[in-house]
Amino acid sequence: MSGEALLFIEDDDSGRELGLFNLRKAGYAVDGARDGAEGLRRFDPERHAVVITDVKMPNVGGLEVLREIRARSPETPVLVITAYGDVDLAVAAMKAGAFDFIGKPFHREHLLLTVAKALERGRMRAELLRLQRQVAGIERPIVGHSPAMARARPRGSGGPGRRAGARDR
């Protein structure tokens, strides 16, 4: 583990402490929150690489947490956990943008594997955005009319596939 920071939101004290213990033992820096409202206050998109939230919580529920975090930081993966593992709830969480849905009780290994996958996806999305910005910053139209320049142009701009010296008819 590289010490990525996570936010773990769980209203059940023993469930939260067990989750925090297991994630910290695996090498993550984990912030805990007792409910959705506290979780939303503590969430920092610059710090938290993944958010793990329970669904059924007083005041601000997990689906509301999910929607708010997705609105504030669409690239941050959110894992939804619940003891109420019904299909409709799982579908609602996934439609709202959850990275994954984990039923309780869950095995430590399952949680850690899902977190690792979410972190990898987050890294891949960040790299994709970086590369897209890099390409957008350096992509310029090709200027020139030599045969070599004609071959270098992308298709549709008189580029490859067009013979040097070919006339437009």
Side-chain angles (χ1 to χ4, degrees), residues 18-19 22-23 41 57 65 71-72 75 83 90 92-93 104 109 112 117 127 129 136 142 144-146 150 155 160:
L18 181 61
N22 284 322
L23 291 164
R41 280 192 306 274
M57 296 182 289
V65 167
R72 287 167 46 186
E75 67 281 351
K104 291 194 252 178
E109 294 78 21
L112 296 178
K117 287 180 181 179
E127 179 68 4
L129 288 172
I142 297 174
H145 302 288
S146 72
R155 288 201 181 277

Side-chain angles (χ1 to χ4, degrees), residues 9-76:
I9 307 168
E10 167 65 79
D11 64 322
D12 177 68
D13 291 339
S14 61
R16 185 179 55 259
E17 292 306 316
L18 181 61
L20 292 171
F21 172 81
N22 284 322
L23 291 164
R24 287 176 180 146
K25 186 174 180 182
Y28 296 108
V30 189
D31 297 320
R34 288 181 164 75
D35 59 35
E38 181 183 353
L40 289 174
R41 280 192 306 274
R42 296 195 72 183
F43 174 64
D44 178 357
E46 298 297 318
R47 173 170 166 68
H48 299 116
V50 172
V51 174
I52 304 162
T53 184
D54 189 13
V55 172
K56 302 268 184 175
M57 296 182 289
N59 301 320
V60 179
L63 292 181
E64 189 175 339
V65 167
L66 168 63
R67 289 183 189 101
E68 178 64 25
I69 288 177
R70 299 289 298 150
R72 287 167 46 186
S73 180
E75 67 281 351
T76 302

Side-chain angles (χ1 to χ4, degrees), residues 58-106:
N59 301 320
V60 179
L63 292 181
E64 189 175 339
V65 167
L66 168 63
R67 289 183 189 101
E68 178 64 25
I69 288 177
R70 299 289 298 150
R72 287 167 46 186
S73 180
E75 67 281 351
T76 302
V78 178
L79 306 176
V80 176
I81 57 174
T82 186
Y84 306 93
D86 74 47
V87 174
D88 291 337
L89 187 56
V91 169
M94 298 307 281
K95 283 184 176 179
F99 175 78
D100 207 344
F101 184 88
I102 305 172
K104 291 194 252 178
F106 48 81

Side-chain angles (χ1 to χ4, degrees), residues 100-160:
D100 207 344
F101 184 88
I102 305 172
K104 291 194 252 178
F106 48 81
H107 294 284
R108 177 182 184 270
E109 294 78 21
H110 183 213
L111 175 64
L112 296 178
L113 178 62
T114 306
V115 167
K117 287 180 181 179
L119 286 166
E120 179 60 24
R121 182 177 185 198
R123 284 189 289 271
M124 289 171 55
R125 290 181 96 180
E127 179 68 4
L128 176 62
L129 288 172
R130 185 190 68 75
L131 291 170
Q132 286 173 332
R133 288 185 193 118
Q134 181 181 359
V135 167
I138 63 171
E139 198 169 285
R140 303 277 191 273
I142 297 174
V143 179
H145 302 288
S146 72
M149 291 304 289
R151 286 190 302 274
R153 281 192 193 88
R155 288 201 181 277
S157 62

